[in-house]
Amino acid sequence: VETAVVAATVLPSPKTESPTIQQSRSGSEERFHLEMIPHELKGKGIVRLLVHNEGNQNSTYTITGRDTNGEVQYGITQRRLRVSAGEDDSVDIEIAPQKRPLLGRKQTIPFQIYATTPTSEPQFETGQLQISPTIPLWILLPLLAILLLTAGAFAFWPPVSDSDNDKDGIINAD
């Protein structure tokens, strides 16, 4: 009969609100942390997620992206990343908005990139995607001013006299 010693240690994780659980099975530990570069993108771009396997066993990490309202597209070409014990590896992820607003102001959408293993709590890095509208709000004010000035000019323009009473093609003086 084989006996396995199982121990669990709860440690705070620097990137998650919940602690990372290290499980030990016959002396093996699973520990990792993440880094994401860059944290801010304008329009769309690529972030690189670095996975640092600090444990003493090889691990396979599942990579996912999430945001609150589903406003971000995640182009994750490699959803599973195998990292040897004590090693680092990375995956590039394309981040883009689901749609770009036609009018309005710039929007900042927070997003998270998660990594987890079958036996670990998920860890994540948070980023921000800044989206500019197709037509910025500030451009509407000059267009509205031009429209109002044009309408005002026609409203107060003196009327053209049609005093060709005798229908000979020459405008007569009144």
Side-chain angles (χ1 to χ4, degrees):
V1 174
E2 186 176 311
T3 304
V5 178
V6 176
T9 308
V10 177
L11 297 175
S13 173
K15 298 295 179 191
T16 61
E17 292 180 7
S18 61
T20 298
I21 297 176
Q22 300 175 8
Q23 293 184 341
S24 179
R25 210 178 265 280
S26 301
S28 65
E29 292 186 276
E30 188 172 89
R31 292 185 319 189
F32 68 101
H33 79 273
L34 307 174
E35 288 182 62
M36 185 172 69
I37 303 168
H39 285 273
E40 291 187 19
L41 295 171
K42 292 184 180 183
K44 65 179 180 176
I46 295 176
V47 296
R48 176 165 287 170
L49 183 70
L50 299 156
V51 179
H52 304 281
N53 183 350
E54 298 170 336
N56 59 4
Q57 65 182 5
N58 298 342
S59 294
T60 300
Y61 301 91
T62 302
I63 311 299
T64 56
R66 294 184 197 145
D67 60 284
T68 307
N69 297 322
E71 298 173 286
V72 178
Q73 289 181 345
Y74 303 92
I76 304 173
T77 56
Q78 188 178 354
R79 293 211 176 262
R80 294 201 183 273
L81 185 66
R82 182 147 175 86
V83 183
S84 299
E87 298 292 319
D88 304 333
D89 204 350
S90 65
V91 60
D92 289 342
I93 303 165
E94 186 176 343
I95 306 292
Q98 289 284 2
K99 63 180 181 176
R100 188 173 169 194
L102 180 64
L103 297 172
R105 295 189 169 143
K106 287 183 182 179
Q107 299 174 7
T108 301
I109 302 171
F111 65 89
Q112 294 81 34
I113 303 296
Y114 286 80
T116 188
T117 67
T119 58
S120 73
E121 290 290 319
Q123 290 191 36
F124 64 91
E125 284 283 323
T126 299
Q128 293 184 340
L129 178 62
Q130 295 177 2
I131 304 170
S132 297
T134 305
I135 302 172
L137 192 59
W138 62 266
I139 207 162
L140 292 178
L141 290 175
L143 288 176
L144 183 61
I146 291 169
L147 180 66
L148 288 174
L149 287 172
T150 305
F154 282 113
F156 295 109
W157 199 268
V160 176
S161 175
D162 189 14
S163 300
D164 187 14
N165 296 335
D166 57 357
K167 307 291 185 221
D168 63 358
I170 301 173
I171 295 178
N172 302 323
D174 290 331

